[in-house]
Amino acid sequence: GESVGLHLPTLSVQEGDNSIINCAYSNSASDYFIWYKQESGKGPQFIIDIRSNMDKRQGQRVTVLLNKTVKHLSLQIAATQPGDSAVYFCAENPGGSQGNLIFGKGTKLSVKP
Amino acid sequence: DAGVTQSPTHLIKTRGQQVTLRCSPKSGHDTVSWYQQALGQGPQFIFQYYEEEERQRGNFPDRFSGHQFPNYSSELNVNALLLGDSALYLCASSTLGAGNEKLFFGSGTQLSVL
């Protein structure tokens, strides 16, 4: 999602529910995508990645979906827990430039116990 | 096995001063990338160092410079600080030499410019 200034999009879910966080990426040449989780006072933590030759990848409690037609990425978190509360960023690698990730503006996930 | 470590964790400077931030990459990593994260925003790429050379650079002025040492650790230097340089500075390491794009981030240095 988009944000204006300091106002991050926020997703509020009940503990145990599934969460879906969406992201629109910018570069049709991007061939690698990553989701990061950032807790307050910490650096981004790797969650899951996907290459452009795939449209779905699953990890532990997380699934990433990639729709290249509309340049859309989503992160699904199953059975969301209070420890999942954080800001989530999608990032894209614009083709062949390892390490030069372009980050989205982030979505704040709040999990209510 | 230590992850990416950065120092200092917090720093306060005044306009016009210079600052040096330090980063030690994760064990086994050979590449260091620096990012600037303003409050409420995603990280923005500053530059990347591999084999002691700057390999890529983002849209940042020449006031931002860096260095990588033979042990793969790195420094970020910012000259003539502006109020707008206040941000969280993140270091990320990876193994460019092995073609691995996955970045591991440190906890960052919070820089405040007064």
Side-chain angles (χ1 to χ4, degrees):
Chain A
E2 296 295 325
S3 66
V4 177
L6 301 180
H7 302 288
L8 285 172
T10 299
L11 175 65
S12 185
V13 302
Q14 203 70 37
E15 181 179 0
D17 287 351
N18 296 333
S19 303
I20 299 176
I21 301 171
N22 296 302
C23 175
Y25 64 92
S26 58
N27 193 328
S28 56
S30 293
D31 58 4
Y32 180 62
F33 305 88
I34 310 178
W35 280 99
Y36 282 94
K37 170 187 180 183
Q38 188 173 26
E39 297 173 281
S40 181
K42 296 184 179 180
Q45 177 187 355
F46 173 89
I47 302 173
I48 191 168
D49 57 1
I50 189 169
R51 295 206 172 272
S52 59
N53 60 353
M54 302 173 68
D55 53 22
K56 180 179 180 178
R57 189 165 188 221
Q58 289 184 292
Q60 186 178 12
R61 281 202 308 120
V62 295
T63 300
V64 56
L65 298 178
L66 174 63
N67 186 330
K68 295 181 288 294
T69 302
V70 295
K71 292 191 288 186
H72 184 268
L73 202 62
S74 69
L75 176 70
Q76 301 177 2
I77 304 173
T80 313
Q81 303 167 1
D84 295 327
S85 294
V87 177
Y88 288 80
F89 293 98
C90 65
E92 61 184 297
N93 184 333
S97 52
Q98 296 175 9
N100 178 4
L101 294 179
I102 299 173
F103 281 78
K105 291 186 171 66
T107 296
K108 183 177 180 179
L109 175 65
S110 295
V111 182
K112 294 177 284 187
Chain B
D1 176 24
V4 179
T5 58
Q6 293 187 242
S7 63
T9 55
H10 295 81
L11 204 51
I12 299 175
K13 292 286 188 178
T14 56
R15 280 181 300 173
Q17 285 190 311
Q18 179 265 343
V19 69
T20 297
L21 311 181
R22 295 176 176 83
C23 171
S24 291
K26 183 176 169 65
S27 177
H29 285 189
D30 57 15
T31 306
V32 172
S33 302
W34 287 92
Y35 286 77
Q36 180 195 66
Q37 186 175 23
L39 187 63
Q41 301 291 318
Q44 281 197 300
F45 177 73
I46 303 175
F47 43 52
Q48 179 189 72
Y49 278 84
Y50 172 65
E51 293 186 330
E52 302 180 48
E53 291 186 3
E54 182 183 294
R55 295 285 171 154
Q56 298 182 69
R57 189 178 183 93
N59 188 25
F60 279 81
D62 292 345
R63 296 187 298 109
F64 290 77
S65 64
H67 190 78
Q68 186 179 34
F69 300 93
N71 67 352
Y72 308 119
S73 67
S74 176
E75 289 182 348
L76 164 65
N77 301 292
V78 187
N79 294 323
L81 284 166
L82 304 174
L83 296 179
D85 294 331
S86 295
L88 179 67
Y89 288 85
L90 294 162
C91 170
S93 72
S94 57
T95 51
L96 184 63
N100 191 337
E101 297 162 287
K102 188 184 298 182
L103 296 185
F104 291 82
F105 283 85
S107 294
T109 295
Q110 184 66 54
L111 173 64
S112 298
V113 182
L114 306 179

